[in-house]
Amino acid sequence: MAGLDGILSGVVTWIETNLLVDTVRITLPPTDDPVLNRSTGQLEYPEGETLYEGLGAVQGGIAQSEVSSIPTANQPWAQETHSRYRLMTPLDAPIPPKDAIVTVVQVHNPARADLIGRSWLCQDPGIAATTEVVRITALDQNQTAGSRLQT
């Protein structure tokens, strides 16, 4: 498979140069209780441990079928939608665990600055394969209050 490895290494280089051009942060969910900020009256959650901050890309689904709504256990209605996104990181980045939080912290294109501070939850650990060129992790957009970083 030496020939395939050579081809894949060229693809890895191309992807890291042309696709993974933004900066993403992957953190564990906070384990401490929120603290009341007396000046704003809002609960503030402490930050979780940072697992990775570096090159990456977040891509959304391209079809309406990429958004689904399913009921949770013991409830006959759907509480919120599940928006399918993908996180792409270099192969040497750590594999994000389920429920890790992904945040865009810097974008290469100023027209995409509205993505800074948005967050997503890892639906499963990062996908692994025998012929990887980029690490892909399934994401769901974080829809809870306070899911956007204060900038």
Side-chain angles (χ1 to χ4, degrees), residues 7-92:
I7 292 169
L8 292 180
S9 69
V11 174
V12 167
T13 301
W14 187 91
I15 287 174
E16 289 181 358
T17 303
N18 295 289
L19 188 60
L20 305 181
V21 293
D22 297 322
T23 303
V24 297
R25 180 181 301 137
I26 302 170
T27 59
L28 293 175
T31 56
D32 295 334
D33 291 331
V35 177
L36 177 65
N37 180 330
R38 294 191 187 281
S39 62
T40 65
Q42 300 291 317
L43 288 176
E44 295 180 352
Y45 288 84
E47 290 191 26
E49 176 188 350
T50 299
L51 300 176
Y52 173 78
E53 184 167 330
L55 296 177
V58 174
Q59 290 187 328
I62 57 172
Q64 184 62 29
S65 64
E66 295 289 335
V67 177
S68 63
S69 181
I70 56 174
T72 56
N74 301 323
Q75 293 185 340
W77 63 87
Q79 295 211 334
E80 63 182 41
T81 60
H82 296 276
S83 308
R84 295 187 178 159
Y85 288 80
R86 288 174 294 278
L87 167 67
M88 292 183 284
T89 53
L91 294 175
D92 59 357

Side-chain angles (χ1 to χ4, degrees), residues 92-113:
D92 59 357
I95 297 173
K98 182 178 180 346
D99 298 326
I101 300 166
V102 174
T103 308
V104 175
V105 295
Q106 184 177 0
V107 293
H108 74 286
N109 182 345
R112 304 284 186 252

